[in-house]
Structure formats: C-alpha cells, structure tokens
Amino acid sequence: PLNTKWTRTEIRDAVRRDLQDPNARWWTDLELNHYIDAWQMDVQNHLELVWGTATITTSTSTLTLTALATDILRLDALYWNQRRLVERSNLDMEIVEREWLSQGSQTPIVAVMDSPETVSFWPPPNIAGTLVAEYPLQGSFGTDTSTMFLPAWTRYSAIPYCAYRAYLRAG
C-alpha cells in the first residue's frame, strides 16, 4: 500500500532486482546502503518533508544546536516560554544595537545565529526558560530493519536513484 514505509533491506532488495544482482556479486550491501541513505538525505535536504521539535530548559545566553538535538538539519523557529524569538545575525545586531552583548539580563526576544552550530539570546536571560526548537530532521536508516523516515510515497524514487548511482560508480 501507499502508506507502508519500507525498510532499508526491502529497498536494497528492490534495487538488486533492478540491477539484476540478487546474489550481491557486483554490489555489496554496504555500497547499496550508502546509496539508499544518500537518497533519503537528498530528498530531505531538498524538500524538508519531515520535521521535529526539541525542548530544553535553560538560562544560558549561548547554546549549541547539538545541546538541543543531534538530528537538526537546520534551525527554523525558536520559542522562549511560548514566545517566538526574532531571528537575527551578528551583523544585524551590530547595526540595530551596537552594545547588544553588554545589555542587562532579561527575557530574550532575539535569537542570534553566531555560527551554524550556536545560537545566542538577546537580551541574555536572567531566569531559566523553556526553549522549543522546530527544525527539519537530518535522518537516515539506523539499521537494515528500521523503516524509512520519509513519507511512504517517496520510496518509488529510491530504486531508480540507487540503481543510477550504482551504475555510475567508478571502477
């Protein structure tokens, strides 16, 4: 059915049928797994079909994204105690409020991306707050028996993509 998500083993078996390699004579499981995982990440990178949330209680003024979650593809929205924070860059903050780093502690209203890995809050918080992040997931198959995390209908693009990559390999 259209709503059934496949496992990596099921996709790999379907790819092997297309490659006419049922006994793994020319393509190893490891190689095909790599193509299947790459397909899943390419689809998610382009379409961002699967999203997640992470919640943390913090009072720090700077936070790494890995402290929030390890599967963040990119950060989208941040909420501090159910209030959405405005996103700014360091350059924006230097123009708007030159001394923004030395401001007194309050409830944050701005989230500043210092780098792709860290986010700072302005003004720095003086109390612990609940931070909720929304983001597209960075995912892959954990094992051969885990199901794909993308919508089930995307599996029909997996087989031609993986077979194409297998035929294109060097050597």
Side-chain angles (χ1 to χ4, degrees), residues 65-86:
L65 296 185
T66 53
L68 281 169
T70 57
D71 59 353
I72 295 178
L73 188 60
R74 68 170 179 80
L75 194 56
D76 185 67
L78 280 174
Y79 298 87
W80 183 277
N81 291 341
Q82 300 178 346
R83 180 180 177 183
R84 186 166 181 171
L85 300 178
V86 177

Side-chain angles (χ1 to χ4, degrees), residues 61-62 88-90 100-101 112-120:
S61 60
T62 301
R88 294 284 186 257
S89 68
N90 273 342
W100 71 277
L101 287 172
V112 181
M113 292 298 292
D114 292 331
S115 71
E117 295 86 28
T118 61
V119 61
S120 296

Side-chain angles (χ1 to χ4, degrees), residues 141-171:
F141 288 99
T143 65
D144 284 353
T145 57
S146 58
T147 55
M148 54 195 255
F149 76 101
L150 292 171
W153 54 266
T154 61
R155 70 174 181 235
Y156 296 111
S157 66
I159 298 164
Y161 173 90
C162 297
Y164 173 75
R165 288 289 175 205
Y167 280 124
L168 273 183
R169 74 172 183 192

Side-chain angles (χ1 to χ4, degrees), residues 21-52:
D21 187 27
N23 300 321
R25 182 175 173 188
W26 295 292
W27 289 279
T28 65
D29 284 351
L30 187 64
E31 183 177 14
L32 293 182
N33 288 350
H34 171 75
Y35 296 135
I36 293 166
D37 288 341
W39 159 79
Q40 200 164 223
M41 277 309 301
D42 284 349
V43 172
Q44 179 65 358
N45 280 340
H46 288 87
L47 302 176
E48 295 181 349
L49 294 170
V50 184
W51 285 66

